[in-house]
Amino acid sequence: MLQVAVTDALFDDDYQIERTIFERNDISLEIYRSVAEFFQKSKVENCSALLVNLDKIDSSHIDRLHSCKIIQRYGVGTDNVDVDAATRKGIWVGNVPDYSIEDVSDHAIGLIFASARQIAFNDRSMRAGIRHLANKQPCYRITGKVLGICGFGSIARRLAQKVAGFGFVDILVSDPFVSEDIIRSLGAKKVSIDQLMSESDFVTLHLPLNDHTEGIIGKDEIELMKPTAILVNTSRGRIVDEVALTHALHTGRIGGAGLDVFQEEPLSLESPLSRLDNVVLSDHIGWNSVESIIELRTKVSQNVTTALTNGEPIYSVNQV
C-alpha cells in the first residue's frame, strides 16, 4: 500500500475527504501537525507523497525523501516549497490553481467595501460604546471611482466581471503577461503599474509571489497613490513593502488598506498595522468558504492519486 502524509495539518477533522479518495486507490494517509513532527516520527523513506499546508519544505527536507513522487500544496502558491530542489530530486510539485476563485475575488471586493465604508472601524467603535462616528473616519462612494487591478489571472478576471455594475468610471489593469485584447474584453484598460498606482482610487493586488513580484509595491509605488486611495491585498504579503505601507497609512499619505496577507504570518499583535484605524485586517482567509474547502481537499487528493497511479499529476508547477 502506498503511503501519503499530511505534514502540517490545518483541518480539525480526520481528513475524511482525503481518506475516502485515497482508500479507493489503496493509498494510506498519515496526519502530522508540523513538518518537524513528520520528519521526526514518520518513516520518511517510505512516503510516496506529501500534502503540505503552510510549513516550509526546503532542500534539506527534500534530500531525505527517497520514495516521494509528489509534494502537493493545499493552495495555489508554492513559495513555501523549494521547487528547484524537488525538480532536481525528480519530485513533482503540485498545487491547485483553479480553486477559490470565487472566494478570493469575493473577499477582495469585501475588503474594498469594508475599507471604503469604514465598516470595521464603526463596528469596533460601537462595541466600545462610541457613537456619532460620521466624521471620525472618511467614507467614500464606489460609484465614480477608478479601480486598479494589479495582476490579471483567474481571480482578478472574475473580480472584474463581478464589479462591472458597481459604477467604476474606469478599471485599470497592469499585467505584462496578459494581452490588451483580453483585458479590454472584460471592460478594463491595460496600463503601466505607475499609471495604475497614480490614477486608481482602489488598488487590488492579485499577483503570485516570485523573484519578480516580491516588493513590487514599494515606497516609490505607494508614493504615487492618491492621498485618499485604498490598497487591498489578498495575494501574498511580501508583494508589498510592509514598512513603507505602514508609514503611508500612519502618516495619512494614503487613505487606507484592506489586508488579508502579511510579510510574517500570523500577524503579530505587536504589528503597528493592528493599531491603525484606517486598516481592515483578516487572517489570510480570502480562500476560505465551506465550498472552497471541499473543492480544495478533493482536488488535492485527486491530484496526488493521479500522480501516484498514472505517473503525472493533473496540476504541477514543475516538470520532472
Side-chain angles (χ1 to χ4, degrees):
M1 178 178 281
L2 295 172
Q3 177 185 316
V4 171
V6 174
T7 61
D8 52 324
L10 180 65
F11 307 112
D12 292 330
D13 61 19
D14 192 38
Y15 280 73
Q16 195 55 52
I17 293 173
E18 292 87 343
R19 289 187 191 280
T20 299
I21 294 171
F22 289 147
E23 285 172 2
R24 294 188 197 125
N25 295 276
D26 201 28
I27 298 170
S28 68
L29 181 65
E30 296 180 350
I31 310 296
Y32 298 90
R33 291 296 161 185
S34 68
V35 166
E37 182 187 10
F38 165 71
F39 279 96
Q40 180 182 6
K41 295 183 178 180
S42 75
K43 293 183 178 179
V44 176
E45 64 277 6
N46 296 333
C47 195
S48 299
L50 304 187
L51 278 57
V52 182
N53 282 296
L54 300 175
D55 280 8
K56 289 188 180 298
I57 302 291
D58 61 27
S59 59
S60 67
H61 297 131
I62 291 168
D63 285 343
R64 296 178 60 187
L65 302 175
H66 302 304
S67 302
C68 186
K69 304 299 182 187
I70 181 169
I71 300 170
Q72 172 66 47
R73 262 278 290 130
Y74 275 100
V76 179
T78 56
D79 45 282
N80 61 322
V81 177
D82 189 330
V83 177
D84 290 339
T87 304
R88 290 193 298 270
K89 191 83 171 178
I91 299 172
W92 295 100
V93 177
N95 67 343
V96 188
D98 58 354
Y99 99 104
S100 76
I101 291 170
E102 296 293 336
D103 311 280
V104 179
S105 56
D106 284 351
H107 200 77
I109 293 168
L111 288 173
I112 289 171
F113 273 97
S115 300
R117 300 301 306 167
Q118 296 296 336
I119 291 172
F121 170 76
N122 279 274
D123 179 80
R124 289 193 303 271
S125 299
M126 289 194 67
R127 291 174 189 271
I130 303 170
R131 302 291 187 270
H132 308 296
L133 297 166
N135 298 316
K136 301 298 183 182
Q137 288 286 339
C139 291
Y140 298 99
R141 291 179 179 175
I142 298 294
T143 299
K145 300 300 192 296
V146 175
L147 174 67
I149 305 175
C150 192
F152 208 55
S154 300
I155 292 169
R157 296 180 200 189
R158 187 68 183 112
L159 182 145
Q161 292 173 327
K162 290 178 179 180
V163 303
F166 286 3
F168 288 112
V169 293
D170 254 328
I171 299 177
L172 308 179
V173 170
S174 175
D175 191 322
F177 304 105
V178 179
S179 73
E180 190 169 352
D181 288 344
I182 290 174
I183 292 170
R184 192 185 302 115
S185 72
L186 288 167
K189 180 193 303 182
K190 183 168 183 172
V191 298
S192 68
I193 191 168
D194 284 358
Q195 184 178 347
L196 183 147
M197 298 301 290
S198 62
E199 295 184 8
S200 300
D201 297 288
F202 303 94
V203 175
T204 179
L205 306 179
H206 300 277
L207 296 163
L209 178 63
N210 54 44
D211 291 342
H212 303 291
T213 62
E214 184 166 3
I216 195 171
I217 306 300
K219 182 178 181 293
D220 292 343
E221 288 72 27
I222 293 170
E223 284 292 327
L224 293 172
M225 297 176 72
K226 297 177 181 179
T228 56
I230 290 169
L231 179 72
V232 169
N233 189 7
T234 55
S235 51
R236 285 292 187 270
R238 282 156 49 204
I239 287 168
V240 179
D241 181 335
E242 202 166 277
V243 173
L245 175 61
T246 302
H247 179 73
L249 291 163
H250 177 71
T251 59
R253 175 61 193 81
I254 64 173
L259 306 175
D260 186 51
V261 290
F262 309 93
Q263 287 188 353
E264 297 292 334
E265 296 180 0
L267 184 69
S268 169
L269 290 174
E270 303 304 314
S271 169
L273 288 171
S274 65
R275 298 189 290 274
L276 294 173
D277 282 332
N278 56 349
V279 183
V280 179
L281 304 173
S282 59
D283 189 27
H284 202 150
I285 59 167
W287 60 274
N288 181 47
S289 71
V290 171
E291 297 87 352
S292 72
I293 290 173
I294 294 171
E295 179 186 18
L296 172 65
R297 296 172 65 176
T298 300
K299 287 183 174 180
V300 161
S301 306
Q302 291 171 339
N303 201 46
V304 168
T305 299
T306 301
L308 297 183
T309 57
N310 294 344
E312 185 171 338
I314 305 163
Y315 310 108
S316 67
V317 298
N318 64 339
Q319 186 68 42
V320 300

